[in-house]
Amino acid sequence: MADAASRLVSVAEQLLGAPLPVRVRAWDGSQAGPPGAPVIVVRNRRALRRMLFKPGELGMARAWVAGDLDIEGDLYTALGAVAGLLWEHDDEGRGRSLADTVRDPAARAAVRDLIRLVGPPLPPAPPREEVRRRRHLHTRRTDKRAISHHYDVGNDFYQLVLGPSMVYSCAYWEAPASGGSLETAQRDKLELVCRKLGLKPGQRLLDVGCGWGSMAVHAAREHGVSVVGVTLSQEQAAFARKRVADEGLTDRVEIRVQDYRDVRDGPYDAISSIGMAEHVGAERYLEYARDLYGLLKPGGRLLNHQIARRPQQDETAYEVDAFIDSYVFPDGELAPLGTTVTMLERAGFEVRDVESLREHYARTLRAWVTNLEGDWARATRLAGFGRARVWRLYMAASALAFERNQIGVNQVLAVRTAETGTSGLPARTRTWNS
């Protein structure tokens, strides 16, 4: 009988209807597949059981998180090849459909061979890091639980990944081809947001989803504004409050554990929402936009920094990414840029500027992966083996998605225009980039 790796490659190619672009090394030490290609390591039969009982992305993710499946060699090259199998397979008509597989006797024989290779067909329990998927309700209770899952991993772990800036959103390199540090690029992003908001001493800023306080501290220290930062994460709030105290800014910065829907002390001169709107959900987005509009004074500005997906021909067919929803951002949803702009306008905002930072986010994510891999032993001690693997896979795959224009990130500047029609913005808005 053929070795395990050869049988796996044969089965995969039968099911895909195309050559396998990666090499496979199986638990028995055997290898098969194109020489020189990235190597997928199948450590045990349990990995196959996971993929057999949950075909596609989620089954592979479970095997990866549990350590049953691994990658040897360059992570990005391997993920690029696997992504082509999982997400681009049907889009361009390559390979076979499920119906073709069912009708093909050879493919059915391949599935039977896989079942024999797997052994007793008992589905393994999902890794403990997995959140049970459910309908996205986006109530105050479910949002708080989802935020806690993602952000209450441990501040030390996030410091390791994000670096000293503790900014968990896209950085901004003033000269994208430059070799500037991540720390400098994150500072430049915060400064770009402040310039777009036109912050001046004495103004009030609401920072929605304030994270570990980086934007609040920067705006208060560099621009003399008073800031209220809100987050649903207890760990973030504790870190941010200490940071504010260490900077001597307690008279100008208040950090609250509070839902943005419960903020009632407007009006504010400006609102920053950086990497938070992805958690709002499609059904709640108009409510989100209207709440922020109501918290601004006439002439006040909103800077909404948000990841966007590509629009679909049939928007009703959109499904949240299974791996992201189960392991990374429970209840997170991405919307096309056009939908976001429309919702802001429906809420009453005048959208004045849109800037894409897509390439910047790819570079940011690669820097975070480098930080994580550079102190891997400590990362696994801080977050646990499975959680550290979740973050490594998530960030590397996301970097590729940004590079390939499968997702993007945009800063949308919107104004609560005064009744007279006055926006308060300069005629040439892009002066903030000069």
Side-chain angles (χ1 to χ4, degrees), residues 270-335:
I271 298 176
S272 54
S273 179
I274 306 172
M276 177 271 174
E278 298 88 342
H279 297 286
V280 171
E283 293 183 5
R284 300 283 186 180
Y285 202 93
L286 184 57
E287 176 188 350
Y288 157 82
R290 285 172 173 162
D291 282 347
L292 299 193
Y293 182 86
L295 286 166
L296 280 172
K297 63 175 57 174
R301 303 181 191 180
L302 164 69
L303 193 286
N304 190 75
H305 177 118
Q306 181 177 343
I307 298 173
R309 62 176 171 84
R310 304 293 296 170
Q312 297 182 346
Q313 291 295 328
D314 178 10
E315 278 294 315
T316 63
Y318 167 66
E319 293 184 359
V320 177
D321 181 275
F323 168 62
I324 300 294
D325 194 38
S326 298
Y327 286 96
V328 187
F329 287 109
D331 294 350
E333 295 179 65
L334 300 183

Side-chain angles (χ1 to χ4, degrees), residues 5-279:
S6 297
R7 293 171 69 186
L8 287 174
V9 170
S10 175
V11 168
E13 292 183 343
Q14 285 286 351
L15 295 176
L16 294 169
L20 194 66
V22 295
R23 193 165 176 80
V24 173
R25 188 168 81 238
W27 58 89
D28 62 355
S30 61
Q31 295 194 46
V39 177
I40 304 297
V41 182
V42 183
R43 298 199 180 280
N44 49 54
R45 289 182 172 87
R46 187 170 58 247
L48 303 181
R49 294 190 194 106
R50 294 187 187 281
M51 291 185 280
L52 188 62
F53 279 93
K54 198 55 97 166
E57 179 184 349
L58 187 56
M60 293 189 71
R62 287 175 173 176
W64 168 270
V65 174
D68 301 328
L69 195 70
D70 217 331
I71 288 172
E72 189 175 274
D74 183 70
L75 176 63
Y76 297 100
T77 302
L79 286 179
V82 174
L85 298 177
L86 289 175
W87 304 306
E88 298 163 16
H89 179 70
D90 292 331
D91 294 343
E92 299 177 14
R94 297 189 300 269
R96 68 170 82 238
S97 68
L98 179 60
D100 290 336
T101 300
V102 171
R103 285 192 296 264
D104 185 350
R108 293 201 303 270
V111 172
R112 288 195 295 269
D113 188 36
L114 179 61
I115 293 172
R116 285 193 295 270
L117 184 61
V118 164
L122 298 176
R128 62 183 178 85
E129 291 80 10
E130 181 172 317
V131 174
R132 186 170 61 86
R133 302 182 74 196
R134 58 199 178 277
R135 182 171 176 266
H136 298 173
L137 299 176
H138 291 288
T139 64
R140 285 166 173 77
R141 179 182 176 186
T142 60
D143 283 354
K144 188 175 182 66
R145 185 170 58 208
I147 292 297
S148 178
H149 172 85
H150 186 79
Y151 293 104
D152 291 341
V153 177
N155 292 331
D156 289 343
F157 175 74
Y158 274 107
Q159 281 186 296
L160 184 155
V161 174
L162 305 180
S165 70
M166 288 298 280
V167 179
Y168 192 22
S169 59
C170 172
Y172 178 76
W173 278 266
E174 291 280 6
S178 71
S181 69
L182 175 63
E183 181 71 10
T184 299
Q186 289 291 15
R187 183 205 173 279
D188 289 345
K189 189 275 297 298
L190 297 176
E191 182 59 23
L192 178 65
V193 171
C194 291
R195 292 201 303 266
K196 288 183 176 182
L197 290 173
L199 297 182
K200 299 177 179 60
Q203 290 185 328
R204 297 184 75 214
L205 168 69
L206 174 64
D207 187 26
V208 180
C210 66
W212 292 273
S214 301
M215 175 65 190
V217 167
H218 181 90
R221 184 183 60 215
E222 303 298 328
H223 295 270
V225 298
S226 296
V227 187
V228 171
V230 296
T231 176
L232 295 179
S233 167
Q234 294 285 350
E235 290 197 26
Q236 284 186 334
F239 186 97
R241 286 167 180 157
K242 182 179 186 307
R243 196 174 185 183
V244 168
D246 291 345
E247 291 276 353
L249 294 171
T250 52
D251 60 329
R252 274 185 278 165
V253 179
E254 178 188 1
I255 303 296
R256 304 174 185 168
V257 177
Q258 186 178 34
D259 193 293
Y260 73 92
R261 290 166 285 197
D262 295 328
V263 177
R264 296 287 184 266
D265 59 347
Y268 289 87
D269 297 281
I271 298 176
S272 54
S273 179
I274 306 172
M276 177 271 174
E278 298 88 342
H279 297 286

